Amino acid sequence: MPAFFIPSLCIFSISTIIILPSKAFLKEALPSIRSLALFNLAFLVQCICLYAGILISENGSHHTLWTAKAFSLIGLALFIAICRDKLTLRDIGICAPNPRRIGTTVLLFVVLGAITWSAIQSSHQHQELSMNMLLFMLAASGTDEELVFRGLMPALLINQVATGRQRKVNKAIALLIPSLIFTSIHALRFSNGHFSFSPSTFAMVSIGACAFMYLRQITGSLLGPLAAHNLVNAGTMLMLAKG
């Protein structure tokens, strides 16, 4: 069983227990119960489809990572199709980015690259690199994650009818909760019957999560954070290979 699966189910359960009852006292600061349920379901769909892809790959394919991501994206595409009465593609961020924010996007790419380089230099780690892995990092490594955590989740948490202070609370929730879940699933692992938590991973991924969400907000599109996510992953692999 992959190390991410059990922690992901635990985080899904905790999120469901906290988010759904919160509607009773946060009221207009949260969207409808249906939207909150779909918010949690989007994350569950991604986890289950990733796991299904890994299981199938282990039973005969040598392209485990590609298959897992393909399954995840297919599952999320079906999820989006089912939710079309609730969400438009623009709501999710599947649209062209704001061209006036290109400079900010490039600057953020550079800052993330510098932070990643500094972290890797201090870690003294080394990892073998293949062309297949590099292509995977560039093309697919963060694609489904961006679709869930910077696309579906924030869109499903937004309450369009909220006003005043409730609107500010709603916006903060839509920004923070998906980022917290995203960070937690990278830092928490379950292997050999034990949970492990990496504070350094949590800190580094938190920076990326905030940066990707910021890009999503200022550009109105998933293309910026998706490109940044995959480029950071590929750059990390290259730097580890040279370390």
Side-chain angles (χ1 to χ4, degrees), residues 185-205:
I185 64 171
H186 284 79
L188 188 63
R189 288 290 182 265
F190 182 82
S191 181
N192 298 321
H194 299 283
F195 284 97
S196 62
F197 178 79
S198 171
S200 60
T201 299
F202 189 88
M204 280 299 299
V205 176

Side-chain angles (χ1 to χ4, degrees), residues 49-50 53 64-76 136 140:
C49 289
L50 276 173
T64 301
L65 294 175
W66 290 100
T67 306
K69 289 293 180 178
F71 267 63
S72 180
L73 289 171
I74 291 170
L76 291 171
F136 172 79

Side-chain angles (χ1 to χ4, degrees), residues 65-66 69 73 135-145 230:
L65 294 175
W66 290 100
K69 289 293 180 178
L73 289 171
L135 289 174
F136 172 79
M137 289 295 173
L138 281 170
S141 59
T143 303
D144 60 327
E145 293 177 353
N230 287 352

Side-chain angles (χ1 to χ4, degrees), residues 14 19 27-28 37 40 45 51 74 81 90 96-97 99 101 116 118 125 127 132 144 158 160 167 198 201 221 227 232:
I14 293 170
I19 290 288
K27 298 179 181 178
E28 295 303 320
N40 282 307
V45 166
Y51 188 25
I74 291 170
R90 180 170 289 276
R101 295 295 188 173
T116 304
S118 299
Q125 296 180 10
Q127 185 170 330
N132 178 62
D144 60 327
I158 290 293
Q160 301 292 350
R167 187 175 185 85
S198 171
T201 299
S221 171
V232 166

